[in-house]
Structure formats: structure tokens, C-alpha cells
Amino acid sequence: QVRLEESGGGLLQPGESLRLSCTVSGRDISSAVMGWFRQAPGKEREYVAMITFDSARTYYTHSVKGRFTISRDNGQNSVYLQMENLKPEDTAVYYCNAGRIDRDDQYKPFDFWGQGTQVTVSP
């Protein structure tokens, strides 16, 4: 069975850094586009970052640009999110995802999600 397993979340103070990991089981991700999403209480799931299969192209939502870095290791079947200078607004459950680039050059996630990992940023 395909499984997405996120890890690395925790409780941080503003300005600190954290690295999230996502390991995919049951499917080779080497040819897939991967992304990170997050969801805060009462909010819709937000598209955070994306990386192509060969790491040649990345995307970041404006609020995290310059602070977050997405990367992947196809040999480990994993994708990572390095988060720096964390802010309280970054508090959310973070999910990884596989998807595709559609005809309009937009990332379209597959409707398949793991349990996520909680990131809390608080003084």
C-alpha cells in the first residue's frame, strides 16, 4: 500500500529552524512531482512548496519564500522541507504530497494524504 509518512515537527520559538521529512512507501517517487502543504486550525489546506522529479524546478508560496527550502532524495524515496526563521504564522500541520503539473503549468496534488506533522511556533 502507498503510504506517506511525515516527521520532524515540533514546538519552536520564533526565529528557530526545523527540518521536516517525508518518506513514501509503496511507490517509487523518482518520476513524480512532490509538494508540501500545511493546514492551520480553521483554515484551508495551503500549498507551500513544490519540487520536480529532477529538482530542476521549485515553487514556494510568497509567505515562506527565502525562508523555506524544499529538497528531495530519490534514492531514499523522500522529500524534505528545511524551515528557517520560523514565525508564529507558520504554525500548522504539514503534509507532503505527490502530484502532477497540469496543462496550465499548475501543480495539482493527488488526493492522497498522510497524517501530517505538527509544527508550532510560539514565544
Side-chain angles (χ1 to χ4, degrees), residues 26-78:
R27 188 189 188 280
D28 186 350
I29 69 166
S30 61
S31 62
V33 178
M34 300 294 296
W36 282 96
F37 291 73
R38 65 186 182 186
Q39 187 168 27
K43 304 292 185 179
E44 295 183 345
R45 201 187 306 267
E46 178 187 18
Y47 177 27
V48 175
M50 178 276 294
I51 187 167
T52 57
F53 75 98
D54 57 355
S55 299
R57 179 185 173 190
T58 58
Y59 164 86
Y60 302 94
T61 193
H62 178 74
S63 64
V64 310
K65 192 172 299 182
R67 299 188 298 117
F68 289 13
T69 302
I70 187 172
S71 62
R72 65 192 295 162
D73 185 340
N74 290 339
Q76 295 294 317
N77 227 40
S78 297

Side-chain angles (χ1 to χ4, degrees), residues 3-5 9 16 18 21 25-28 30 40-42 48 71-72 77 91 96 104-105 109-112 119 123:
R3 181 167 61 92
L4 306 175
E5 185 175 10
E16 294 185 326
L18 195 66
S21 298
S25 301
R27 188 189 188 280
D28 186 350
S30 61
V48 175
S71 62
R72 65 192 295 162
N77 227 40
T91 296
C96 66
D104 298 316
D105 200 36
F110 301 139
D111 192 17
F112 186 81
V119 175

